[in-house]
Amino acid sequence: MTSNRHVRAARQRRLPSTRHATLALSSALFLIACSSTGTPIVSRYPGGGSGHSSAAAPAASDTALASQAEALLSRGDPAGASRMFMAAAVAASGHEANDFRLRAAAAALAAGDPARADLLLDQIPAPFGDQPGQAAQQGRYRLLRAQTALARNDPQRALRLLPQGDLGGDPQTAEQTLLVRAQALARSNDPVSAVATLVNRERYLSGIVALGDNRELLWNLLQGATLDTATINRALAATPITRGWVELATLARRRAPPGELDGWRKRYPRHPGEERLAALLVTDTSTSFADPALPGVGAVPVPIQGAGSAAVPLAGAGSVALLLPQSGPLASLADALRAGYESAARTAGEPAPRLYDTSGYAQALADGAGVIVGPLPKDALTAVAAAPSLAVPVLGLNYLDGNRVAPAGLYQFGLAPEDEARAAAEDAFARGLSRALTMVPATDWGNRVQVAFAARFRELGGTVVESGRYSGEPQAWSDPVKRLLRYVAINDKKAAAEARAKAGPDVDPQRRNDFDFVFLAGRASQARVLWPLFRYYHADRTPVYATSAVNESVGDGDLAGIRFCDAPWLVESGGQRQTVRDEALNGRSREAARFFAFGVDAQALAGRIARNQLHGGELVPGVTGALGVDTSGAVRRKLACAQMTNGGDPALLPPPDASRVPITP
């Protein structure tokens, strides 16, 4: 297999097909044996064992197949359930077959594969009729089409697909339709209509829990919305409940005093938003609280500890000095960092920093700098840290090696891939995944990521079952994947089927079964080769995590499903993060844009240091993450976790059970 072959196969997978709407029975059977990208894996990696089939259609009734699909859903395998529902559709006919196709598409969406969902919806052979059952199916069909459009980041198409006015019919379909409509309106920058839609959704909900979840969703939507004058004016024409929600969010946004909040309560008596008032009336603690995902971040701000008993220096009255390389390989990234810092300073109404080269530490002190930000290169920061004491606080833009002790007054802040590896370990463990296989490049970067992931995962109580390394050209990566999975080929189809039958449910006789997920480190170009190999060697139903190196642009079929944890500004929208996103990516490469955002957060930290208001144990809101400052002065980032989609922007993962991640001593 050559790298050119990979490229040709990848291009072939991305070409849309116009034949799906008229596929006959043989095409449906073909789909059941396909991977999530819609292309048979064996055609992409020939010679790998023709006995492999993701879910060959058993000789069973449609009812039995549907029961198996439901069982797969209950075990958390929506991709397998989708294939089984399609097998049931093949065994059924007419109205019942269409029902199974709709359920297969819904399961594909639940598995994060909108491309497969669209393909399955294309299998419905004819327009629905106007009988009651067929009308209900038509509503489900339009809803699923809208959901796939939204998953592909096309909210306008989703809105065109969804009906307006009184939905009637099945309450569950109606409330789901309103939910998707609200999400599409929010993405279309129409928060007033989105709120009104969620308010209307409550007509179809019953129970305190369902209503509470809907209001939590509504409130979170408003927290990320643009609440400018035009938005507030549009809310004036809305119903009192919708208007009350928008007004309350506006008051919360500017931290209105208790008197104004009490005035809101009098204007909107018995408004469902009253339950938010208690939280808004207490003292704001958003920048100082315990977070179990950030080791060393406590509930009470404490002094930063330095080497020995040296006192932490206070910030001087002078300007902020920014030490960055003016030439060499880091110059372009340093320039993006400077631009981000200066942009944030303007927004905060603070003066721009004085710019020095990396070696300008002594000159900055001589010029009377009150705070020094930098240097960026690790060796230059190590030289600054060698001093027994510091005259002014220093926010280093990198991290010292683990065996070095920072002097009092030295803060360390960087875009460390180790943060992302630790975040992946925390997210996986919080979702009940406790046994990991890891595959990293045989490089220093790969070793650092592996060590950080394994240390945090074991600290939480997880087990790294085995680790693999890859190197050289892509055509050589099949062997380490095969060894890691302990894959055994069974080329005879009958023998493979017999082996699967003897192995029992949820056991694959051709590869190891002692792991819950895979941690994969590498760039997007590397993951495009490695993850299809894992899928080919029967790990296609296994969750996979990576670092943000896979998040280079929109996803595609070979990245779809990969989970990663990254800076919130790259995976979330709305508010300051959207502003930073627009400015950072304006004419810059993605790597340079990351440094622009890095500069924005460096300014936020430096501003606090300049006011002598940065303490150990604090959690500072940021665009590269929630910035946790430990008692040694090191800043760690709490990231947002997302999942790559097929052809669209990454989709945020739903929050895991945070109670599963213990607080690190």
Side-chain angles (χ1 to χ4, degrees), residues 173-545:
T173 301
E175 63 91 359
Q176 285 293 310
T177 298
L178 289 169
L179 173 61
V180 175
R181 185 169 185 81
Q183 293 169 331
L185 287 165
R187 292 198 193 180
S188 302
N189 198 29
D190 189 355
V192 175
S193 297
V195 169
T197 301
L198 290 176
V199 169
N200 186 29
R201 182 176 180 239
E202 295 195 358
R203 297 167 50 199
Y204 301 95
L205 300 175
S206 61
I208 296 175
V209 174
L211 289 172
D213 289 345
N214 189 66
R215 291 166 188 174
E216 183 72 20
L217 175 67
L218 185 156
W219 187 250
N220 289 337
L221 181 154
L222 283 170
Q223 299 313 293
T226 301
L227 300 180
D228 53 15
T229 303
T231 300
I232 295 170
N233 288 338
R234 284 201 304 274
L236 295 176
T239 65
I241 293 181
T242 298
R243 186 168 66 249
W245 277 117
V246 175
E247 186 176 326
L248 183 61
T250 306
L251 294 173
R253 180 81 52 95
R254 60 183 180 85
R255 299 183 181 180
E260 291 189 44
L261 295 173
D262 189 56
W264 176 90
R265 177 163 40 194
K266 292 176 180 176
R267 287 193 300 278
Y268 300 100
R270 296 182 297 280
H271 190 282
E274 278 191 1
E275 61 195 40
R276 297 280 164 186
L277 288 179
L280 297 176
L281 287 167
V282 300
T283 303
D284 178 26
T285 59
S286 63
T287 60
S288 178
F289 58 90
D291 192 297
L294 290 167
V297 180
V300 179
V302 296
I304 302 294
Q305 303 298 317
S309 58
V312 177
L314 297 177
S319 62
V320 174
L322 185 57
L323 276 57
L324 294 173
Q326 306 295 299
S327 59
L330 291 177
S332 61
L333 298 179
D335 187 62
L337 192 158
R338 173 201 56 77
Y341 190 106
E342 292 178 349
S343 174
R346 287 193 300 271
T347 300
E350 297 180 6
R354 294 189 64 176
L355 188 62
Y356 297 81
D357 199 4
T358 296
S359 60
Y361 176 73
Q363 186 60 51
L365 288 177
D367 292 344
V371 175
I372 292 178
V373 178
L376 178 62
K378 178 175 285 192
D379 57 350
L381 179 61
T382 302
V384 171
S389 62
L390 300 176
V392 299
V394 175
L395 175 63
L397 299 176
N398 211 318
Y399 294 101
L400 300 174
D401 289 331
N403 59 349
R404 290 187 175 272
V405 179
L410 175 61
Y411 302 81
Q412 303 168 62
F413 175 45
L415 299 180
E418 289 91 337
D419 286 341
E420 300 162 11
R422 285 187 283 263
E426 290 160 359
D427 190 81
F429 190 82
R431 297 178 193 279
L433 307 174
S434 60
R435 301 173 300 170
L437 295 179
T438 66
M439 177 65 74
V440 302
T443 61
D444 177 67
W445 179 88
N447 292 336
R448 287 167 51 201
V449 168
Q450 163 70 25
V451 168
F453 173 86
R456 182 57 176 151
F457 197 57
R458 289 169 181 148
E459 185 179 337
L460 294 169
T463 301
V464 177
V465 178
E466 189 174 344
S467 300
R469 298 288 193 280
Y470 64 93
S471 60
E473 295 298 319
Q475 55 264 35
W477 298 350
S478 177
D479 286 341
V481 173
K482 187 176 180 180
R483 285 195 301 269
L484 183 64
L485 291 173
R486 298 181 185 174
Y487 177 81
V488 178
I490 304 178
N491 294 325
D492 182 77
K493 292 184 179 181
K494 182 178 179 182
E498 291 174 351
R500 285 195 297 271
K502 292 179 181 178
D506 299 323
V507 175
D508 192 317
Q510 292 183 246
R511 55 118 171 123
R512 70 192 306 161
N513 293 273
D514 59 346
F515 67 101
D516 301 320
F517 72 106
V518 174
F519 176 71
L520 179 66
R523 299 186 304 276
S525 58
Q526 295 167 317
R528 286 187 179 98
V529 176
L530 288 164
W531 182 225
L533 285 170
F534 274 94
R535 297 202 300 265
Y536 175 62
Y537 290 122
H538 291 211
D540 50 321
R541 300 182 185 180
T542 303
V544 57
Y545 281 82

